[in-house]
Amino acid sequence: MSLQAPRGTRDILAPDSARLRALVETFAGAAELAGYGQVVSPMFEQIEVFRRVGEATDIVSKEMYEFRDPGDRHLALRPELTASVARAFVQHRPPLPWKAWYEGPQFRYEKPQAGRFRQFNQVGAELFGSDDPQADVEVIALAWRFCTGLGLRELRLVVNSLGDRADREAYLAALAAYFERRADELSAQGRETLGRNPLRLLDSKRPEDLAVVAGAPVIDDCWSEAAADHFAAVLAGLESLGIPFQRNPRLVRGLDYYRRTAFELASDALDGAQDAVGGGGRYDGLVADLGGPEVPGVGFALGVDRLLLACDAEGSFPAPSGAADVFVVDVTGGGEATLLAEELRGAGIRVERAFDGRSMKAQMKAADRSGARWALLIGSDELAGGQVSLRRMRAHGATATGESVQRRIPRRDITAELACLLATEAAEGSTL
RNA sequence: UUGACCGUAGCUCAGUUGGUUAGAGCGCCGGGUUGUGGUCCCGGAGGUCGGGGGUUCAAAUCCCCUCGGUCAACCCA
């Protein structure tokens, strides 16, 4: 194996790629139903865009693909999309509220694992320009409705509030003081984390740390009245929609720009440490950090690859069928198949055919495998008589319909005939 | 970045204490009606045993390095 896709990346081939696209289209439908329009932003940005947003986070400090272009611009492949979208907002200042959805690959230099890649796809949505808790609710509801719409049942919504900037800092101080006091009980790695960012310690999985974390101060005590009211309103909104959630006072997200609401969606169908399918929250200072006005925002992103893993685990959201409508079998050299296929495709019919002048038997086999419901046969007899043979494939109820399995029809009628047959089938299929 | 396990045909895997031309199932191709698909029968193609180096008379098998995957820590989608 000399040449292969770089570590942590992969090729997604036919049925899987169709499934990926279907998932994105489903998301687009849900988002646009809620008034979000798509934003397509560059896959790389000036490195400053990400630096300003998360200097202290691992994602920005050690996982970015940085490079200089031939013009010596210092750039980075985007490790996340919220910063890019916020930058686009600052640059274009669309009317408020601005509601945008997005989809696409992101890049982080991490050690790959199941459900964790160096290039991975996310879908997400952001709402800029409102600090109304109902905006938080709308955003969470969109994520929830989309995920449950994929057929995911074993999904857990975890929510928390990180308070306002001052609350967050007060909490950070209280947390740091607490952990310092019990530093000798922490693991060596835990003490290291404490020096960098005490918040991170809250998601440690080492047993020694867990014991200490269990007694750590809770964010609730640091909330301002406004932040507490906001969070209460968000929870009330979720309840009014019947969206089940769990409160986790120790939920902190990986990016440091979150204020007030933070949430995460995890799947119990995924085992291992990679059970989070996505998350988001409110980031009221982000736009200002990027040089824009004090505009609040709230949003989320979902990991497409993990969503699909969760769908696999729950047996939902299968890949769309790649089956052809018609397979053209031509044993007169293949030229007729070319003409017929193009004619039928021009009429919107999904057509497959064989190449290389294979035997009729081989072509019929290929027709069977293609999943086509109908086969069009062209042999020397048909060619001479200006006809084609139309055959109902066995896997698709050839005998059940009661009609003869194969009949000859004039070549010039074939497109209209097939269009009619397929339309009838579609109508029957939709009423079943 | 750290540790553990793994890497044999397109796919899923066998391969006995290192020992002759490395096997199976599925898939693929051809034949079994000189114009007809599933099943069945027969035949065939396809492998630098992830790569490199070493030990040995002899390495898929043992050792080292490396690449890739998986699991955990870390981190996160």
Side-chain angles (χ1 to χ4, degrees):
Chain A
M1 221 151 294
S2 45
L3 291 179
Q4 51 188 313
R7 181 162 208 207
T9 70
R10 67 246 157 92
D11 304 302
I12 302 171
L13 306 187
D16 293 335
S17 52
R19 190 177 185 221
L20 178 79
R21 187 154 39 83
L23 184 136
V24 170
E25 277 162 13
T26 303
F27 183 75
E32 297 199 346
L33 225 41
Y36 293 72
Q38 185 177 10
V39 53
V40 180
S41 62
M43 294 209 203
F44 54 89
E45 297 268 357
Q46 295 173 32
I47 197 154
E48 203 51 27
V49 170
F50 307 115
R51 287 255 171 90
R52 288 212 200 164
V53 150
E55 190 83 72
T57 65
D58 283 14
I59 293 176
V60 170
S61 64
K62 31 190 227 203
E63 296 178 4
M64 276 206 298
Y65 280 89
E66 297 180 38
F67 62 100
R68 288 190 185 269
D69 74 4
D72 205 36
R73 283 170 275 259
H74 198 184
L75 304 170
L77 296 183
R78 61 188 183 197
E80 60 126 13
L81 263 158
T82 302
S84 285
V85 175
R87 192 231 80 226
F89 172 79
V90 171
Q91 185 174 339
H92 302 286
R93 297 290 193 83
L96 299 178
W98 188 50
K99 295 164 74 168
W101 73 269
Y102 54 79
E103 112 352 83
Q106 277 139 92
F107 309 85
R108 293 182 195 169
Y109 189 79
E110 287 190 285
K111 192 157 170 178
Q113 227 170 85
R116 181 151 86 193
F117 305 95
R118 289 184 173 174
Q119 174 176 334
F120 60 99
N121 295 295
Q122 288 191 339
V123 294
E126 315 285 353
L127 188 163
F128 291 83
S130 169
D131 49 22
D132 190 332
Q134 299 312 317
D136 304 40
V137 174
E138 174 175 293
V139 156
I140 296 173
L142 171 57
W144 181 260
R145 181 156 35 80
F146 167 64
C147 290
T148 53
L150 295 177
L152 295 176
R153 298 270 305 112
E154 296 176 56
L155 211 58
R156 218 168 50 240
L157 170 64
V158 183
V159 296
N160 193 20
S161 171
L162 302 171
D164 288 310
R165 185 192 291 266
D167 309 348
R168 193 187 158 111
E169 267 154 31
Y171 180 55
L172 202 58
L175 212 52
Y178 168 80
F179 283 129
E180 293 294 354
R181 220 179 311 125
R182 302 186 58 178
D184 50 328
E185 297 169 56
L186 292 171
S187 66
Q189 245 182 336
R191 278 192 293 277
E192 218 172 284
T193 309
L194 173 58
R196 278 206 322 276
N197 186 349
L199 280 177
R200 289 271 79 79
L201 215 38
L202 293 178
D203 16 65
S204 168
K205 280 165 210 146
R206 289 174 299 270
E208 314 94 280
D209 298 345
L210 283 173
V212 181
V213 166
V218 170
I219 183 81
D220 307 34
D221 304 326
C222 298
W223 287 337
S224 66
E225 204 179 319
D229 289 350
H230 184 96
F231 190 45
V234 171
L235 298 187
L238 292 177
E239 264 161 30
S240 75
L241 291 175
I243 297 175
F245 61 87
Q246 297 168 5
R247 168 78 205 289
N248 178 354
R250 308 203 201 280
L251 174 72
V252 291
R253 305 267 314 141
L255 292 151
D256 284 335
Y257 47 65
Y258 288 110
R259 297 288 140 70
R260 298 197 172 183
T261 312
F263 67 95
E264 203 163 88
L265 284 164
S267 169
D268 291 325
L270 293 179
D271 39 43
Q274 271 72 244
D275 67 341
V277 296
R282 181 164 277 284
Y283 41 82
D284 291 347
L286 181 64
V287 172
D289 288 344
L290 287 166
E294 277 291 346
V295 170
V298 58
F300 67 88
L302 301 169
V304 168
D305 314 287
R306 287 194 194 167
L307 279 171
L308 289 173
L309 283 176
C311 286
D312 289 341
E314 295 204 35
S316 66
F317 203 71
S321 161
D325 297 316
V326 181
F327 195 104
V328 179
V329 173
D330 175 6
V331 289
T332 67
E336 281 305 305
T338 299
L339 291 172
L340 250 181
E342 279 307 302
E343 179 180 324
L344 292 166
R345 288 167 185 160
I349 296 169
R350 205 162 162 176
V351 184
E352 253 297 23
R353 57 160 300 176
F355 293 104
D356 303 312
R358 304 228 273 144
S359 70
M360 168 154 284
K361 177 170 176 161
Q363 292 193 48
M364 284 304 294
K365 263 183 146 170
D368 198 44
R369 268 197 307 266
S370 76
R373 284 162 304 214
W374 301 91
L376 280 178
L377 313 192
I378 306 161
S380 47
D381 294 358
E382 285 89 343
L383 195 57
Q387 295 177 308
V388 297
S389 290
L390 174 62
R391 179 181 180 87
R392 181 73 182 173
M393 293 304 280
R394 198 151 54 210
H396 297 281
T399 52
T401 59
E403 63 192 302
S404 63
V405 177
Q406 186 169 330
R407 64 198 157 97
R408 287 200 180 179
I409 59 180
R411 159 69 231 250
R412 66 176 175 278
D413 294 342
I414 192 61
T415 296
E417 177 73 21
L418 264 172
C420 176
L421 284 167
L422 292 169
T424 307
E425 278 178 3
E428 282 168 358
S430 65
T431 58
L432 288 177

